[in-house]
Amino acid sequence: MPTVTIDGCKVEVEKGATILDAAKKAGIWIPTLCYHQAVSSDASCRICMVELDRGDWKQLVTSCNYPVRRDIVVYVSSERAKLARNGVMELLLARSPESEELKALAERMGVKETRYPKVTESQRNCILCGLCVSVCEQIIGQSAIGFAGRGVERVVAAPFRQPSEDCIGCGACAAVCPVGTIKVRIHHDQQEVEISPFKSRAKLLVCKQCGAPVVSEKVGELALDKLKISSEEFRELMRLCPKCRKSKTVEQIRTVVFEEK
Amino acid sequence: MTSFCDKRLNSPDELERVREDLSEHRNSDTKSVCVCIGPGCAAKGANRIYELFCEAVEQSGAQVKVKAKGVGCHGLCECGPIVIIQPGDIFYQRVEEPDVAEIFRETVLSDRIVERLLYEDPSTGKKVKSPNEIPFYKAQKRIALAYNGVIDPASIEDYIAAGGYTALPRALTSMTSEEIIAEVDVAGLRGRGGGGFPTARKWRSCRAAEGFPKYVICNGDEGDPGAFMDRAIMEGNPHSVLEGMIIGAYAIGSSQGYIYVRNEYPLSVERLKEAIKQARQWGFLGEDILGSSFSFDIRINRGGGAFVCGESTALMASLEGRPGEPRAKYIHTVESGLWGRPTNLNNVETWANVPAIINNGGEWFAKMGTEKSKGTKVFSLVGKITNTGLVEVPMGITLRQIVEEIGGGIPDGKSFKAVQTGGPSGGCIPAQHLDTRVDFDELTKLGSMMGSGGMIVMDEDTCMVNVAKYFTAFLQKESCGKCTPCREGLSQMLDILDRITDGEGKVGDIESLEVLAELLEGAALCALGKTAANPVLSTIRYFRDEYDAHILERHCPAKECRGLFRYEIDPETCKACGICLKNCPADAISGEKKVPHVINQEKCTLCGTCWEKCPFTAVLKV
C-alpha cells in the first residue's frame, strides 16, 4: 500500500484512494464542497486544493480526486495551498454572499470576508458544484436536472428550464446541496411536494390512516420496485406514514403473538 | 479525370506502379495554373478566378496541354488572390477577374510574363518572378505546408504524384512500431497544438498502455483568434494528415481514428471527407492496408462551436456526445481517454509532420531548430503587419526575422510595440525581446507560449491594457464554467480591466489582477484556465507603465481607450475649413473662417467624428 505523507503525518492507503481519503485517515481536515462520497468526484469547486511535492517542483492538486498510486508527499497547510483554497472561497463568497452554509465554511477556513465584488449572477446562492446533478443521475437514476448554459451563464436546470416530468420529488438534490440552494417545499393544500428552485412538483403519498404526507408517490413506487417484495400486505404497510406504520406493526405483532396463542 | 486506380491497392509495389504511371502521364509539357483558393484568397474572389481559368482551359481546345487547379493556401494572403503558373514558378499576385484572360493568353499560351501582376520587392522596387525570390518566402522552410499551393487538395493522385503516401508503405513494410516511434523520437517532434509535449513519448505511453481498442485523434478544433494554420493544412493537403495518422496508429496499435474539426470549418470537413473516401478506395484506409494486415479507419466529428473543446479531455467528452467540458488529467488520456480507452491525441500540424519524418529520417528533421525545439512551425501572421499571411519557419528563427523580414514590418510607418503569440493563453512580447528565438521553452520564459501558432502583431496605436481586456473577455466568454477559478476569477479580472479602461481604476488593481492570475494558474481545472491569465500577466510585466497611466493619470498612452484621451485641434495645421465644425454632432467645435477651430472639451462627447473627417489631420488625440 502506498504511503501518503500529509503535513509530515504518514498514512497508508489503498492504491487508487484519494488524497482526501488519506487526509481523513490522518485526521486532517480539508474543506470540501462539491465532494460527496456517494457520487463520483468532479473536482469542480476547487476548494480542496493541496500542494503535491513532486521533488523538484510542487503542484496544486484537488485532493478529492487525485488518485494515490505511489508514495507521495502532500501539504495541506502550506502557504500556497491555503492561499489557493482561501482564494477560491473568496470567489465563491463574492458569487453567493447570502449562503449561511458557505459563510460557516469560510469561517472554519479562517476566511473572514471577500475582497471581490459580486460580478456573476447566481441562482439563490448556487455555487454550481454539481452535486445535485450527480446524485440525480448516479444515485436516483432520473437525470431530471443538468447543467445548462456555459461559463457565467451556467445554471442547474431541468430541460428547457421547465419543471421536469422526470423529477420524482425525492429531494436527494436538496439533501446533498452544500449551500442550501435547493429546498423541498410541501404544499399541504394541493398534496404536492415541490423541489425549489426547479419548480418541479410531484403528488404526495398521503397516509391512508391519518392523512399525513409520507413521500412523493413516485418515490414510493420507486422504493417498492427496488425492494422487490411482492407481498401486498407489505406494500400496504409502506403506504402509511412512519407513525401509523409503527402502530400498525405493533397491532399485528400483538395479534400474532398474544391473540393466536 | 483519368482514374489510375479502379481497385484497392494491395501492396506497396502496386502503389509504386501507379505512381510511375501517374508521373509519366503528367509529363512536363502539361502546364498548370494553380489558383490559391485558401480562405484569404477566396475572400477576395479567388473561386471565381479559378472558374474563369477552368473555362479558359476548356475553350482553348487542344493547342496546349493545360490544367487549372484550385490549391490550398499559399501563405501570402495579403497579396491574394495568388495564381502560380507551372512550369516556371511564375507568381502572380492580386489577380482580378479581368486579368484572367491576359494571363491565359500571354503566359499560358505564349510563355510571356505579365509584368504588372508580378510581386514588387518593396526594398529594391524590382519585380520578381517566382516565390523564392520574394522576401516573404525566402526565410521560410516548408514541411507541413510543403505541398500547399502545389497540389489539388481534392485529388489523391496529385498527392501521390508529388511523393505522398511513400512514408506509409515504408513504415508498414520495413519498420516496426518501435522503430517508427524511435524515428519520431530522434526527430524531437513536439506537439504543435500548444503544449509542446514530446510526440514520441506520448505515442510510446499510449502503445504501452493496457486496454483495447486504442484510439488516435487529430485535433482540428483550431479556435484561437487570428489563427488558421491547421485550417490551411486540412484544406490544402488533407492527405498528409491522414498519412500521418495512419502511420501513428500503426505505431501505437490503434484501429480507429477520429478527426475533430471545428464547426466553423465546413471546407476542412469537405476536404477531409473527400480525402478519407479516396484513401479508402485506394486501400490506404480500411482492412488490410496495402496488404500489410494492418487495419485502420478514420471518422470525422464536427465540433459544436466551443473554444474549450480544443482541450483534449473536453474534446474527448464532446466526441463521446457529452458536453465539452474538461476533466482532471491526473490519469492521462494515453491511459484512459476516449470511452476510458488509451487515446493518443495530436494536433493537425503534428500529424502532418509525420510523413516527412519517416521519409527523410528523424535526424534530418532534428537538424532544423534549437536544442529542444526541432523542425519547423507554422504561424499565422496577422495584425499590424505588412504581409499578413501564413508562414512556416524553422524553429530558432528570431521573432524579429518573422516580423521584419518575412512580415515586412509594420505598415504606415508606425513603430512596433508587441507581438502576441500563443493565442488567448499566450502573452505579449515587447520590442526588447524581438531577438528571442522561436522555441517552446524560450517563449514560455518570456511569459508567453508557442501555442498553436497565432501571431498577432501590434503597433504603437495599440493599448496593451485593452489587448489584455480583449483576451480576458474572449476567455471569460469561452470558459465552460465548470470550475470556480476560471468562471469566477476571469469574471473578476474582466471587471477590474473594464474599470481600468473606463478610467475608474484604483491603486491596488494591478496587485488584485496578479493575485487572481496566480489563483487561476494554480487552481483552475484545465489548461484553458491555467493559462488564461497570461495575456494580463505579460502585459503587466512589460507594459506596467500603461496600466499605471490608466489608473493614476486617467490617460491611455496609446489613445485607444475612449475617455482616457481628448481631441484637440492643432492651430498650426488647421486650415479653418469648417468640416469638423459641420460634422460635430455635439456642437462642441467653434471657429470662423481663417481662424483655427477649437474644441470645447466640456461639450465634446469623444465620438471621434472630427478626427475622422479632418482632411488635414489637424485633429489630434492627446
Side-chain angles (χ1 to χ4, degrees):
Chain A
M1 286 210 291
T3 304
V4 184
T5 312
I6 308 178
D7 287 346
C9 175
K10 285 184 195 302
V11 278
E12 280 193 347
V13 289
E14 293 283 334
K15 206 175 167 188
T18 63
I19 293 176
L20 187 64
D21 293 332
K24 278 184 181 165
K25 207 173 168 187
I28 292 170
W29 180 69
I30 300 173
T32 56
L33 278 168
C34 75
Y35 169 81
H36 196 288
Q37 58 193 23
V39 294
S40 63
S41 283
D42 235 5
S44 61
C45 77
R46 321 302 281 178
I47 201 93
C48 68
M49 308 264 0
V50 295
E51 205 173 5
L52 175 68
D53 197 334
R54 289 192 177 271
D56 45 353
W57 63 296
K58 293 194 180 88
Q59 182 193 6
L60 286 169
V61 297
T62 40
S63 58
C64 71
N65 71 339
Y66 189 91
V68 181
R69 304 215 273 188
R70 58 189 78 83
D71 292 354
I72 53 169
V73 178
V74 174
Y75 303 98
V76 174
S77 53
S78 73
E79 201 51 37
R80 190 165 165 231
K82 262 198 262 178
L83 264 179
R85 289 196 301 268
N86 293 0
V88 170
M89 179 45 95
E90 282 195 53
L91 288 175
L92 289 175
L93 282 174
R95 175 185 172 90
S96 309
E98 283 126 29
S99 166
E100 293 305 324
E101 291 87 343
L102 199 62
K103 277 190 241 172
L105 183 66
E107 205 181 312
R108 192 171 171 199
M109 289 167 67
V111 178
K112 289 192 180 64
E113 57 180 2
T114 176
R115 73 190 86 177
Y116 305 115
K118 187 175 170 71
V119 294
T120 56
E121 271 314 307
S122 69
Q123 186 182 24
R124 290 194 202 172
N125 295 317
C126 174
I127 55 163
L128 298 169
C129 72
L131 270 183
C132 50
V133 176
S134 301
V135 81
C136 191
E137 181 193 340
Q138 297 171 23
I139 306 299
I140 309 301
Q142 288 302 109
S143 294
I145 45 172
F147 285 112
R150 189 171 74 194
V152 291
E153 308 279 322
R154 189 177 171 95
V155 286
V156 177
F160 309 107
R161 306 188 189 201
Q162 296 294 312
S164 168
E165 283 176 19
D166 290 326
C167 176
I168 57 169
C170 68
C173 48
V176 294
C177 178
V179 289
T181 296
I182 308 174
K183 299 264 194 261
V184 176
R185 293 180 207 282
I186 307 286
H187 298 282
H188 289 281
D189 43 346
Q190 287 124 334
Q191 296 195 333
E192 279 178 344
V193 56
E194 181 196 339
I195 308 295
S196 161
F198 308 121
K199 295 196 181 82
S200 56
R201 286 186 174 218
K203 264 269 165 273
L204 272 175
L205 183 69
V206 179
C207 178
K208 273 192 171 171
Q209 243 153 37
C210 70
V214 191
V215 282
S216 87
E217 279 182 354
K218 283 178 180 169
V219 171
E221 282 162 27
L222 195 77
L224 283 170
D225 281 354
K226 281 194 176 173
L227 284 170
K228 291 195 178 105
I229 297 174
S230 54
S231 150
E232 192 48 45
E233 206 176 338
F234 179 79
R235 297 179 85 95
E236 279 300 314
L237 201 60
M238 295 307 282
R239 293 199 178 94
L240 301 177
C241 73
K243 207 175 157 191
C244 295
R245 200 183 306 151
K246 211 172 180 179
S247 37
K248 176 116 189 200
T249 312
V250 170
E251 181 116 337
Q252 280 173 339
I253 291 171
R254 204 177 55 199
T255 333
V256 174
V257 179
F258 300 105
E259 294 182 3
E260 279 193 4
K261 258 189 180 172
Chain B
M1 191 190 290
T2 332
S3 179
F4 285 85
C5 181
D6 44 15
K7 64 178 176 66
R8 276 176 76 88
L9 299 169
N10 289 314
S11 70
D13 289 342
E14 279 184 36
L15 170 61
E16 279 323 300
R17 277 199 294 277
V18 170
R19 198 191 309 277
E20 276 164 28
D21 287 353
L22 272 170
S23 44
E24 252 174 56
H25 182 80
R26 290 164 186 235
N27 48 18
S28 55
D29 63 330
T30 308
K31 287 190 175 172
S32 45
V33 180
C34 305
V35 183
C36 175
I37 46 171
C41 291
K44 293 177 181 169
N47 282 312
R48 179 70 194 135
I49 288 169
Y50 169 63
E51 283 168 18
L52 288 174
F53 271 113
C54 289
E55 283 168 23
V57 169
E58 258 174 45
Q59 286 160 9
S60 71
Q63 301 165 7
V64 58
K65 276 191 200 164
V66 58
K67 189 171 168 270
K69 56 184 177 185
V71 297
C73 178
H74 209 277
L76 192 50
C77 308
E78 187 67 36
C79 297
I82 291 167
V83 174
I84 296 179
I85 314 290
Q86 299 286 13
D89 219 13
I90 302 158
F91 182 94
Y92 290 133
Q93 45 110 44
R94 298 184 208 273
V95 177
E96 289 174 17
E97 285 180 33
D99 302 329
V100 171
E102 189 181 352
I103 294 177
F104 200 80
R105 191 182 64 236
E106 294 295 312
T107 312
V108 177
L109 300 180
S110 322
D111 290 320
R112 281 191 297 262
I113 287 172
V114 184
E115 283 281 332
R116 67 180 174 87
L117 293 172
L118 290 178
Y119 179 84
E120 187 185 300
D121 187 335
S123 56
T124 59
K126 272 191 189 157
K127 296 268 187 188
V128 292
K129 193 192 87 177
S130 71
N132 50 28
E133 295 169 76
I134 298 173
F136 177 80
Y137 291 104
K138 264 187 205 164
Q140 294 195 42
K141 169 80 191 157
R142 297 189 153 210
I143 297 172
L145 296 178
Y147 299 141
N148 258 48
V150 179
I151 62 166
D152 176 354
S155 158
I156 191 171
E157 286 147 347
D158 249 27
Y159 181 65
I160 291 174
Y165 288 117
T166 46
L168 179 63
R170 177 177 307 195
L172 291 178
T173 54
S174 63
M175 293 172 92
T176 62
S177 305
E178 191 40 54
E179 279 168 349
I180 294 170
I181 298 177
E183 207 62 58
V184 176
D185 205 358
V186 169
L189 180 64
R190 291 172 68 173
R192 283 350 189 204
F197 192 82
T199 306
R201 206 196 294 172
K202 206 186 233 182
W203 289 15
R204 200 168 274 137
S205 312
C206 193
R207 180 175 161 68
E210 278 176 34
F212 192 79
K214 291 178 181 175
Y215 297 106
V216 295
I217 298 176
C218 170
N219 184 350
D221 193 56
E222 181 175 58
D224 291 359
F228 49 98
M229 301 77 54
D230 296 345
R231 173 182 190 165
I233 297 171
M234 291 188 284
E235 293 177 8
N237 188 3
H239 282 287
S240 65
V241 181
L242 302 189
E243 192 177 0
M245 285 181 77
I246 304 166
I247 295 169
Y250 172 70
I252 290 160
S254 160
S255 56
Q256 181 64 53
Y258 292 91
I259 306 179
Y260 190 92
V261 189
R262 78 183 289 214
N263 197 35
E264 291 85 341
Y265 285 177
L267 184 60
S268 297
V269 173
E270 196 183 303
R271 290 267 187 266
L272 286 166
K273 255 189 195 165
E274 183 62 30
I276 289 174
K277 197 174 133 198
Q278 291 167 345
R280 281 185 191 141
Q281 278 169 356
W282 285 59
F284 299 121
L285 281 176
E287 301 285 321
D288 194 18
I289 295 169
L290 293 177
S292 67
S293 81
F294 169 64
S295 302
F296 176 69
D297 209 350
I298 295 175
R299 283 189 58 168
I300 301 173
N301 274 68
R302 293 168 68 154
F307 175 74
V308 71
C309 283
E311 199 276 343
S312 60
T313 56
L315 186 151
M316 288 175 204
S318 173
L319 257 181
E320 290 171 12
R322 294 184 290 119
E325 287 168 9
R327 62 155 178 81
K329 281 208 247 184
Y330 300 140
I331 296 170
H332 295 296
T333 51
V334 286
E335 284 178 49
S336 174
L338 191 61
W339 291 298
R341 302 276 183 251
T343 305
N344 183 90
L345 176 140
N346 285 119
N347 157 272
V348 170
E349 193 185 331
T350 314
W351 288 120
N353 270 306
V354 172
I357 291 173
I358 298 300
N359 271 332
N360 304 299
E363 279 179 26
W364 162 82
F365 193 82
K367 272 187 195 139
M368 291 169 280
T370 62
E371 196 198 336
K372 286 187 175 160
S373 303
K374 304 294 188 189
T376 60
K377 177 78 196 86
V378 184
F379 289 101
S380 60
L381 200 54
V382 295
K384 307 286 181 63
I385 186 97
T386 307
N387 299 329
T388 305
L390 196 69
V391 304
E392 183 171 354
V393 290
M395 295 274 192
I397 191 172
T398 63
L399 289 170
R400 187 181 301 284
Q401 275 176 288
I402 297 180
V403 173
E404 292 177 2
E405 276 180 40
I406 298 175
I410 316 295
D412 306 326
K414 303 268 181 180
S415 65
F416 171 89
K417 188 181 235 176
V419 57
Q420 209 275 353
T421 70
S425 307
C428 297
I429 300 169
Q432 72 257 35
H433 290 298
L434 257 187
D435 290 311
T436 304
R437 283 143 66 85
V438 167
D439 169 298
F440 284 103
D441 313 289
E442 290 298 314
L443 293 179
T444 307
K445 270 188 222 159
L446 292 179
S448 183
M449 61 192 271
M450 180 80 79
S452 62
M455 204 175 253
I456 304 173
V457 181
M458 294 149 192
D459 69 2
E460 60 190 66
D461 291 339
T462 314
C463 168
M464 299 316 284
V465 186
N466 206 25
V467 167
K469 187 174 96 169
Y470 167 80
F471 283 110
T472 308
F474 175 86
L475 289 166
Q476 190 249 10
K477 203 163 161 271
E478 291 296 341
S479 162
C480 75
K482 181 173 176 175
C483 80
T484 311
C486 185
R487 182 188 66 236
E488 306 295 329
L490 280 175
S491 300
Q492 294 288 353
M493 285 179 103
L494 185 60
D495 182 61
I496 297 173
L497 290 165
D498 267 336
R499 276 198 291 103
I500 295 177
T501 53
D502 282 349
E504 287 159 22
K506 293 187 296 226
V507 175
D509 274 350
I510 299 181
E511 290 70 23
S512 293
L513 285 172
E514 285 171 333
V515 167
L516 283 162
E518 197 186 335
L519 184 62
L520 270 166
E521 197 219 328
L525 196 158
C526 77
L528 184 142
K530 281 183 192 296
T531 56
N534 277 348
V536 171
L537 283 180
S538 65
T539 46
I540 292 179
R541 181 167 161 188
Y542 298 118
F543 300 97
R544 201 185 178 101
D545 53 335
E546 288 199 29
Y547 280 85
D548 283 338
H550 282 74
I551 296 168
L552 304 173
E553 297 155 32
R554 306 273 183 253
H555 181 67
C556 174
K559 291 152 193 123
E560 200 179 318
C561 298
R562 207 176 146 190
L564 300 190
F565 63 92
R566 58 179 199 280
Y567 291 99
E568 268 180 18
I569 297 171
D570 178 13
E572 305 278 306
T573 332
C574 180
K575 300 270 188 281
C577 66
I579 289 178
C580 61
L581 190 147
K582 268 181 229 144
N583 283 288
C584 177
D587 280 336
I589 300 175
S590 55
E592 289 166 37
K593 270 187 187 169
K594 293 184 184 169
V595 182
H597 293 6
V598 180
I599 300 174
N600 179 345
Q601 296 298 339
E602 279 179 12
K603 275 190 179 175
C604 176
T605 58
L606 302 164
C607 67
T609 308
C610 53
W611 182 78
E612 275 169 27
K613 297 278 180 188
C614 177
F616 310 104
T617 55
V619 180
L620 307 172
K621 290 176 176 179
V622 291

